[in-house]
Amino acid sequence: MSASPATDLGYLLHKNPARAQSFELAFGKAYVFYPEASEERCTAALMLEVDPIGLVRRRGGDPRTLEEYVNDRPYVASSFMSVAIGDVFGTAMAGRCKERPELAARTLPLEATITVLPCRGGEAFLRRLFEPLGYEVQATSHILDEANPEWGPSRYFTVTLRGEGRLGDLLTHLYVLIPVLDDQKHYFVGDDEVQKLIRRGEGWLASHPERGVIANRYLRHQKSLTRRALEQLMAEDVPEVDEVETEHNAEEVQLEKPISLNEQRIGAAIAALKASGARRVLDLGCGEGNLLRALMKEKSFTQIVGVDASHRALEIASRRLHLETMPEKQRVRLSLVHGSLTYRDERLCGFEAAAALEVVEHLDPARLNAFERSLFEFARPQTIVMTTPNIDYNVKFENLSAGKLRHKDHRFEWTRAQFQAWARSVSERFGYDARFIPIGPEDAALGAPTQMGVFTRPA
Ligand code: SAH
């Protein structure tokens, strides 16, 4: 802390800067001491001594693997650190300060350094966790082995966070996010942990763009706990939805205007997504946000994430949805994510449904397999809705020369037989069922211009 007098940190933490103290914990010992304590800057250090042998012994039974004795746990910040923060700085974390109550409520210039923080997901994920909370993040990556530099970087970082805020909030963010980055916990995670997350997440987690991954990792990837936590989080903050205002609403009231194919696709996709009962939905390859706008109008969708590989498309989507000025209650439901659908992405896990409208035909056929795996195997939503052109119908478009695809970015277009064969093979491989719905005016021989596939997997 660097407010004047900075030594007030002692009051805030309820630990006297002049004395080193130690605390017995279930898994070892915690020490608190102040490497510096001047008027200008005051630093409190929390050091943990984790006793790995004691841990194995206390657990009882024979250790089964060497890893139970030899692991990184004593040397890194993990859920042990969170427990220590809770035990040693619990009052400060709760935002209470008996002697100087006004201090706990004050915004102070704060800095926290975590000497060794395992970051699954790397520096990018680290930033995605802390930057939305207003911290400036400085991270130094450590290589795996100095003697073997060719082994490359490790997942360990030295991290410094800087920001202006309340000490209680900083401690809370560390308490929740350290084990999220580490992606492990040393204790059994059950129902209680959902309530803990809701309590500790109050005021920041519901609006955090990574809340899905945070909850999922915090709850050790237990889908039902994660779902419960997110529902509770969103129920507390999420709103009765008023209509999202867009410049396009005006157009939509022109009833005489024939419904465009695009609108029919969106209508059909919304119907399928609503019928699935999903609350958290992904719009994969969201483009400029047409489907996102329709999703926002449906109250039943509490978390909506649009993903696209194009920054430009996301910028346009953000502008057209008025993301910047959207009321907070709406804003928390929607996030836009820059990412590629052909890479596994944890940000896309934990959703009940995903839509990918007019996207698959933009993928390089050589990357199709990667797309299949990252969506159907890794992200694995219960329901997936896809649309793609039916190439047989192209002869009906007067402005399209023979043999041409509908868009210059299309890598291929499928006949109905080709799409259905692909869909059935994917479904079989990943345990989904597929059904098909024609969209647009149907020609007896050629079918409809757009084909939709709805993939579901048994719960
Ligand atoms: N779903 C929107 C946009 C369809 S256009 C709609 O129906 O209007 C296809 C979109 O997919 C483009 O925005 C493009 O940027 C995106 N896209 C193409 N390849 C992608 C990939 N590998 N990962 C993520 N997005 C991709």
Side-chain angles (χ1 to χ4, degrees):
M1 177 165 113
S2 54
S4 184
T7 42
D8 276 352
L9 185 61
Y11 289 110
L12 274 169
L13 293 173
H14 298 82
K15 304 283 174 285
N16 184 344
R19 257 189 324 130
Q21 299 182 51
S22 65
F23 302 83
E24 294 292 336
L25 301 169
F27 48 81
K29 240 171 160 176
Y31 300 86
V32 177
F33 56 94
Y34 288 75
E36 62 179 335
S38 72
E39 289 270 306
E40 294 74 43
R41 267 178 74 87
C42 184
T43 302
L46 171 62
M47 191 182 95
L48 280 194
E49 212 172 66
V50 175
D51 167 16
I53 297 181
L55 277 182
V56 178
R57 296 227 174 100
R58 263 193 294 279
R59 194 181 301 150
D62 291 329
R64 272 153 305 174
T65 62
L66 183 61
E67 205 213 336
E68 291 190 36
Y69 283 115
V70 184
N71 55 53
D72 66 358
R73 300 293 88 187
Y75 313 108
V76 303
S78 69
S79 55
F80 289 117
M81 182 60 89
S82 297
V83 171
I85 291 175
D87 276 16
V88 177
F89 297 141
T91 314
M93 178 158 68
R96 292 195 306 270
C97 180
K98 236 191 307 170
E99 274 131 347
R100 297 268 204 287
E102 76 292 348
L103 258 189
R106 237 181 42 215
T107 298
L108 300 164
L110 298 172
E111 186 178 306
T113 296
I114 308 138
T115 323
V116 189
L117 180 60
C119 298
R120 281 201 197 271
E123 183 174 338
F125 183 57
L126 170 75
R127 290 185 180 281
R128 293 210 306 273
L129 288 190
F130 285 103
E131 286 175 349
L133 296 170
Y135 296 101
E136 183 197 318
V137 178
Q138 191 185 326
T140 312
S141 147
H142 298 293
I143 65 165
L144 205 52
D145 187 345
E146 302 271 341
N148 294 286
E150 70 280 7
W151 291 358
S154 72
R155 65 192 167 93
Y156 303 106
F157 287 80
T158 298
V159 175
T160 298
L161 307 171
R162 277 187 206 94
E164 302 253 325
R166 291 177 300 197
L167 181 66
D169 293 338
L170 170 62
L171 291 171
T172 306
H173 296 150
L174 294 173
Y175 177 93
V176 173
L177 297 178
I178 287 174
V180 165
L181 278 159
D182 180 33
D183 205 12
Q184 290 192 47
K185 281 201 174 165
H186 67 275
Y187 52 87
F188 173 73
V189 168
D191 285 355
D192 302 353
E193 205 73 351
V194 173
Q195 291 323 312
K196 207 197 288 174
L197 179 64
I198 301 289
R199 201 170 73 241
R200 300 291 184 206
E202 206 187 320
W204 62 276
L205 187 52
S207 57
H208 196 295
E210 300 299 337
R211 61 189 170 258
V213 191
I214 294 173
N216 191 37
R217 285 193 177 191
Y218 194 87
L219 299 166
R220 299 298 307 121
H221 304 268
Q222 297 183 60
K223 286 267 152 26
S224 66
L225 297 186
T226 306
R227 190 172 311 139
R228 197 131 40 82
L230 288 172
E231 269 166 14
Q232 234 174 296
L233 266 180
M234 301 320 278
E236 278 160 18
D237 263 42
V238 180
E240 284 310 292
V241 179
D242 0 290
E243 188 93 333
V244 179
E245 294 242 4
T246 77
E247 61 241 51
H248 292 266
N249 281 354
E251 288 169 21
E252 287 172 19
V253 289
Q254 294 176 25
L255 289 176
E256 69 283 6
K257 191 176 137 227
I259 300 177
S260 74
L261 196 52
N262 187 40
E263 283 162 20
Q264 290 187 56
R265 277 194 291 265
I266 289 174
I270 292 278
L273 293 169
K274 277 175 79 172
S276 78
R279 299 169 68 79
R280 298 182 310 273
V281 293
L282 293 167
D283 180 5
L284 304 173
C286 62
E288 298 173 3
N290 289 326
L291 179 64
L292 293 174
R293 187 167 54 239
L295 289 167
M296 285 297 281
K297 288 184 190 166
E298 299 293 335
K299 293 182 191 176
S300 57
F301 302 124
T302 55
Q303 192 189 350
I304 301 164
V305 175
V307 186
D308 206 285
S310 156
H311 272 297
R312 206 183 117 68
L314 290 173
E315 258 164 44
I316 296 172
S318 161
R319 215 168 43 239
R320 288 180 50 190
L321 292 160
H322 301 287
L323 208 65
E324 297 285 322
T325 52
M326 194 181 273
E328 183 60 16
K329 287 181 166 192
Q330 297 295 342
R331 183 66 190 80
V332 295
R333 295 170 63 211
L334 177 65
S335 24
L336 297 181
V337 169
H338 182 242
S340 171
L341 306 177
T342 56
Y343 290 91
R344 289 170 174 226
D345 188 336
E346 295 206 342
R347 295 173 296 174
L348 310 188
C349 293
F351 289 81
E352 291 140 328
L357 305 193
E358 307 296 288
V359 173
V360 68
E361 66 276 8
H362 290 260
L363 303 177
D364 181 347
R367 301 291 295 153
L368 212 50
N369 184 48
F371 165 69
E372 292 159 14
R373 294 197 59 186
S374 52
L375 177 57
F376 289 84
E377 183 179 72
F378 191 68
R380 224 173 152 62
Q382 278 84 16
T383 304
I384 298 169
V385 177
M386 288 178 57
T387 68
T388 192
N390 161 20
I391 195 174
D392 292 333
Y393 196 91
N394 285 4
V395 294
K396 304 260 288 184
F397 291 116
E398 285 166 12
N399 304 333
L400 195 66
S401 348
K404 277 264 165 104
L405 300 182
R406 292 185 203 177
H407 192 282
K408 63 177 176 8
D409 274 350
H410 288 183
R411 303 305 178 85
F412 56 86
E413 285 171 1
W414 275 328
T415 64
R416 285 162 294 167
Q418 284 170 326
F419 177 51
Q420 294 183 17
W422 174 81
R424 293 215 167 87
S425 128
V426 169
S427 298
E428 206 162 283
R429 264 191 294 147
F430 300 108
Y432 282 78
D433 294 319
R435 60 200 163 80
F436 304 95
I437 297 151
I439 296 175
E442 242 182 309
D443 178 276
L446 304 169
T450 298
Q451 36 186 348
M452 180 163 94
V454 179
F455 303 80
T456 47
R457 67 175 170 85

